[in-house]
Amino acid sequence: MEGIWTGSDYELTIEFAHKKQMEKAFARLMREPALTNFWVDQQRTVPFRAPLFEESPMTIVFGALEMWPDIFFPCRISALALGNLTISIPQNAFAQHFAYTYPLTLENNPWLAKINDCFIRLATGIYKAVPFLSAAIGEEIAGDITVSNLFEKDLPNVLMIVPESLLQSVSTKPRHKWVQLLL
């Protein structure tokens, strides 16, 4: 695990309207069977205990995300009091399991589709419990995508997860890849 957290991350980031929604989503995520072993440090010496935002407007928890039986990726879950929740997997972890090629695109790394599917399942489960404004999957995207700029940016390697209500409220579709949440 030494050096696994150096370099960039591949992320699912979710935007909520307010802090209370994000707190409910975080609680839902902590019950997700695919996520295990929650710690407040990378060395796994201090187990995570709620509540969120006790000492800071940001809570970070480290854990493991099970993608397939017996294949776990280290992950970092970041919760911002402003209403953002992000699950990050260090790209160095991918190289331990797959033929990893940079840049991290589906064309270069076909196995990335399975990672995206896992993130879409997580986002769908969260949305069923706590509807969110928008979500995105991609490299180092936390905080970069919001509802206000969702349709303005041209992001060829980002996968948007868009609630039906948002798609119906705009006249143009995103210029990049997107998935409509089907519930």
Side-chain angles (χ1 to χ4, degrees):
M1 287 289 242
E2 187 76 22
I4 198 83
W5 290 102
T6 60
S8 60
D9 298 331
Y10 195 68
E11 301 172 322
L12 163 63
T13 187
I14 304 172
E15 179 186 11
F16 294 92
H18 52 78
K19 177 181 170 182
K20 289 288 184 204
Q21 285 181 314
M22 196 278 312
E23 289 174 338
K24 287 180 184 177
F26 187 88
R28 161 64 179 82
L29 200 56
M30 293 295 107
R31 294 188 308 272
E32 172 60 46
L35 286 164
T36 59
N37 302 319
F38 301 111
W39 304 88
V40 296
D41 61 338
Q42 293 175 9
Q43 293 75 32
R44 301 202 249 185
T45 58
V46 182
F48 173 72
R49 305 259 190 271
L52 298 176
F53 316 121
E54 194 169 86
E55 300 173 13
S56 166
M58 179 181 204
T59 297
I60 298 176
V61 177
F62 294 89
L65 179 58
E66 183 177 20
M67 293 289 178
W68 300 274
D70 299 326
I71 296 184
F72 292 84
F73 290 108
C75 67
R76 179 179 55 244
I77 302 167
S78 307
L80 292 171
L82 296 173
N84 292 81
L85 182 63
T86 301
I87 303 168
S88 306
I89 299 173
Q91 289 187 39
N92 284 340
F94 294 144
Q96 294 178 354
H97 296 282
F98 305 112
Y100 170 86
T101 304
Y102 195 84
L104 193 59
T105 63
L106 284 170
E107 294 77 23
N108 290 343
N109 303 280
W111 50 264
L112 193 57
K114 292 185 180 196
I115 307 296
N116 288 346
D117 288 345
C118 180
F119 276 164
I120 290 168
R121 279 193 310 276
L122 289 174
T124 300
I126 290 169
Y127 190 84
K128 286 178 180 177
V130 186
F132 51 75
L133 298 173
S134 70
I137 298 170
E139 181 180 2
E140 295 290 327
I141 57 165
D144 193 38
I145 306 291
T146 63
V147 167
S148 62
N149 70 14
L150 178 66
F151 300 100
E152 298 169 5
K153 295 188 173 203
D154 186 18
L155 305 164
N157 296 322
V158 171
L159 177 62
M160 299 301 306
I161 303 171
V162 185
E164 182 179 355
S165 59
L166 179 60
L167 282 178
Q168 291 174 350
S169 70
V170 296
S171 59
T172 60
K173 301 293 184 243
R175 291 182 276 175
H176 35 275
K177 298 173 194 150
W178 56 276
V179 173
Q180 179 178 333
L181 274 174
L182 300 173
L183 305 174

